[in-house]
Amino acid sequence: RFDIQPHFGITVNDPFVRHYVVGAELNYWLTNRMAVGITGSGFIGNKSSRYLNIRAQEGLLLTANKTLWQASANFLYNPFYGKIAVFNRALMHWEAYVQLGGGVIQTQTIPRFEALHEPFRSINPQGNFAVGSRFYIPSSDFVSFNIGVRTWIFPDKLEPAQRGPSTGSGGLGDLASLDDAD
């Protein structure tokens, strides 16, 4: 069988950039316990209040990136499943799953000197791991409520430390070559 799961979420591991995540996952179930699928997510990232406070209070210019989107292929396995009686009136089916996958992710720098430099983007390979649980709505075999946690791991390109206004003698210090993402 096939299933499609819209998803939304929020990132919790970056104190300087908050991301809201919206996407979908399409799975093909090989058996009742194993599936292969694809996942696509878009990220809406903004600087957090902590980023702005450090910049204003401490005078520090932070190097930060925001994530734009990700796409991956996944393998999903349900090691646990069962039923829960709901007020002795209905049975609710549930499953617990682990998921492993890999694909690509695109990030964008947040320039320290936004008036001088354009942000650059980079596409990087990524791996992801998820754990979660799915609860099927009683008297409906095709609607479920899912809750889970997913983590992505990927190498990222940060803004070079020398990218800034010309501070050297004769206007030297800011290298134009540092405006290129490579």
Side-chain angles (χ1 to χ4, degrees):
R1 73 178 195 265
F2 280 98
D3 74 18
I4 186 165
Q5 303 171 28
H7 62 255
F8 63 93
I10 188 168
T11 59
V12 295
N13 66 337
D14 189 345
F16 305 121
V17 180
R18 173 72 58 211
H19 293 95
Y20 298 95
V21 185
V22 178
E25 184 172 317
L26 176 67
N27 289 317
Y28 174 71
W29 290 86
L30 304 169
T31 68
N32 283 341
R33 300 181 90 180
M34 291 185 291
V36 292
I38 56 173
T39 302
S41 305
F43 294 77
I44 302 163
N46 291 314
K47 296 178 218 171
S48 69
S49 59
R50 186 171 288 172
Y51 178 94
L52 301 172
N53 286 345
I54 287 176
R55 190 170 190 153
Q57 293 173 357
E58 304 296 329
L60 296 174
L61 300 175
L62 300 173
T63 298
N65 286 359
K66 64 181 179 178
T67 305
L68 301 176
W69 59 265
Q70 74 83 30
S72 62
N74 307 306
F75 175 75
L76 185 139
Y77 179 64
N78 285 334
F80 306 107
Y81 60 93
K83 299 175 187 172
I84 299 172
V86 181
F87 302 114
N88 270 347
R89 302 253 175 197
L91 287 177
M92 182 169 62
H93 296 266
W94 65 272
E95 314 174 320
Y97 65 88
V98 294
Q99 189 175 37
L100 186 64
V104 294
I105 195 165
Q106 184 178 36
T107 61
Q108 175 180 306
T109 62
I110 298 174
R112 290 183 298 272
F113 297 96
E114 295 180 71
L116 297 176
H117 300 291
E118 291 292 320
F120 60 81
R121 297 177 178 188
S122 60
I123 295 178
N124 302 301
Q126 57 94 353
N128 62 73
F129 175 76
V131 294
S133 188
R134 173 185 346 245
F135 300 91
Y136 291 93
I137 307 300
S139 72
S140 170
D141 288 337
F142 64 93
V143 177
S144 69
F145 174 75
N146 300 2
I147 187 165
V149 175
R150 182 180 309 256
T151 186
W152 289 276
I153 184 167
F154 57 95
D156 205 358
K157 295 180 182 175
L158 297 173
E159 187 175 34
Q162 297 85 4
R163 192 174 187 221
S166 298
T167 56
S169 60
L172 300 175
D174 186 22
L175 304 174
S177 63
L178 295 178
D179 286 339
D180 185 17
D182 292 330

